[in-house]
Amino acid sequence: MARISNYGSGCPSLARGPEGVAGLAFNGANIWVIAPSIGLTTFLLATVGMVIGRMVGRRFGKVVELLGGLALVGLGLTILLEHLGVLGA
């Protein structure tokens, strides 16, 4: 019979937020390795996103800004309509 790893059982909780990291500690994971790893990964991905965003912003400027704004308005409208029961969940 296959043994289920404690690390694998904590991964879904990680996607739910910082409290998921605390849940990993209760599963016997080494929090002193996991927490800095998550912090470093977050820092690197945010930095890459900022660099890419700056390059795209210089090249396409207002067009991308307008598309991003429209996407956010559409997302907000979709959430509102789902909560009002207009759209099926």
Side-chain angles (χ1 to χ4, degrees), residues 1-77:
M1 178 172 228
R3 185 170 98 65
I4 297 175
S5 167
N6 285 338
Y7 296 103
S9 64
C11 287
S13 65
L14 254 173
R16 295 188 193 113
E19 64 277 0
V21 176
L24 286 174
F26 290 114
N27 282 336
N30 186 355
I31 198 71
W32 295 105
V33 172
I34 293 173
S37 299
I38 293 170
L40 180 63
T41 302
T42 302
F43 171 77
L44 290 175
L45 290 177
T47 302
V48 168
M50 287 174 50
V51 170
I52 292 172
R54 187 171 292 136
M55 289 189 303
V56 169
R58 284 185 188 144
R59 178 146 172 92
F60 299 107
K62 295 291 181 186
V63 174
V64 175
E65 194 174 324
L66 178 65
L67 289 175
L70 289 174
L72 289 175
V73 168
L75 180 64
L77 187 61

